[in-house]
Amino acid sequence: MNIQAISPAEATDELREVYNTLERNRGKVANLYEAQSLNPETMMRNIDFNIELMFGGSPLKRYQKEMLAVIVSVYTDCDYSLAHHSEALAHYWKEEGRIQSLVNDYKTAEIGRANRALCSYAEALTLNANKSVIDQIVNRMKELKIEDREILDAAMIISYINFQVRLVKGLSVELEADGGVGYWYD
């Protein structure tokens, strides 16, 4: 990490409470959150937003949220994010080969047409595709009966994961020694 960070062992007061919340809800503290430790108020808002997007009510299934995060991780070339979100997706898919297929090329992975369209949306938004490309993908999603609320939630998740990736890269956050495994996903 290229800035100072306060570890959970060193944390006091408000930061300690934030870390305690993370440990209660997720099992441990990811380096991405430790990197935000100099600003605990904003870190807590970021955590709350993450929990709402990734675990909150949505017509998107939990695995679809992680699948979108994996695609963003692939197209941003972020090993940190890919490790975390592949691990989370493995919790739901229980099939490593399927995840590897998604990572290698979602266009040929056996994920179904609706999921492929969602992945196309993640790719386009991440790579800053032009409006006509994005409109074409959204029209395809609607043809596949993906509803507006699902599209909205997908756009928010894709955008948020891109934000997280920028934090990881901008602060040179390194993957945890355990490889980013062992978090709670339910």
Side-chain angles (χ1 to χ4, degrees), residues 3-75:
I3 65 168
Q4 173 192 356
I6 303 166
S7 73
E10 301 166 317
T12 60
D13 305 324
E14 182 182 10
L15 181 58
R16 180 71 246 152
E17 288 177 38
V18 173
Y19 281 153
N20 286 341
T21 299
L22 274 171
E23 290 166 351
R24 270 193 314 275
N25 292 332
R26 299 300 318 281
K28 57 187 181 172
V29 177
N31 285 352
L32 173 59
Y33 293 118
E34 199 171 313
Q36 300 170 55
S37 61
L38 297 178
N39 189 343
E41 292 164 356
T42 301
M43 178 173 65
M44 192 62 220
R45 287 184 185 97
N46 186 12
I47 292 165
D48 288 343
F49 191 52
N50 179 303
I51 290 169
E52 182 61 31
L53 282 178
M54 300 304 285
F55 295 91
S58 170
L60 290 176
K61 295 174 178 66
R62 253 310 266 133
Y63 85 83
Q64 289 174 307
K65 295 174 179 185
E66 294 298 345
M67 178 187 70
L68 290 171
V70 166
I71 295 302
V72 170
S73 303
V74 167
Y75 283 98

Side-chain angles (χ1 to χ4, degrees), residues 25 34 50 66 78 96 100 124 134 147-149 155:
N25 292 332
E34 199 171 313
N50 179 303
E66 294 298 345
C78 184
E96 182 59 37
Q100 195 55 54
I134 290 171
E147 304 209 358
D148 287 349
R149 171 64 195 274

Side-chain angles (χ1 to χ4, degrees), residues 63 66-67 70 82-100 102 181 185:
Y63 85 83
E66 294 298 345
M67 178 187 70
V70 166
L82 184 59
H84 276 268
H85 293 291
S86 293
E87 173 71 14
L89 186 55
H91 176 79
Y92 299 100
W93 276 1
K94 314 268 190 242
E95 196 176 325
E96 182 59 37
R98 190 171 180 203
I99 295 166
Q100 195 55 54
L102 178 73
V181 302
Y185 300 109

Side-chain angles (χ1 to χ4, degrees), residues 75 101-102 104-111 116 119-120 123:
Y75 283 98
S101 176
L102 178 73
N104 290 344
D105 184 3
Y106 75 84
K107 294 170 189 155
T108 60
E110 293 184 26
I111 57 174
R116 190 167 294 105
C119 290
S120 237
E123 175 188 7

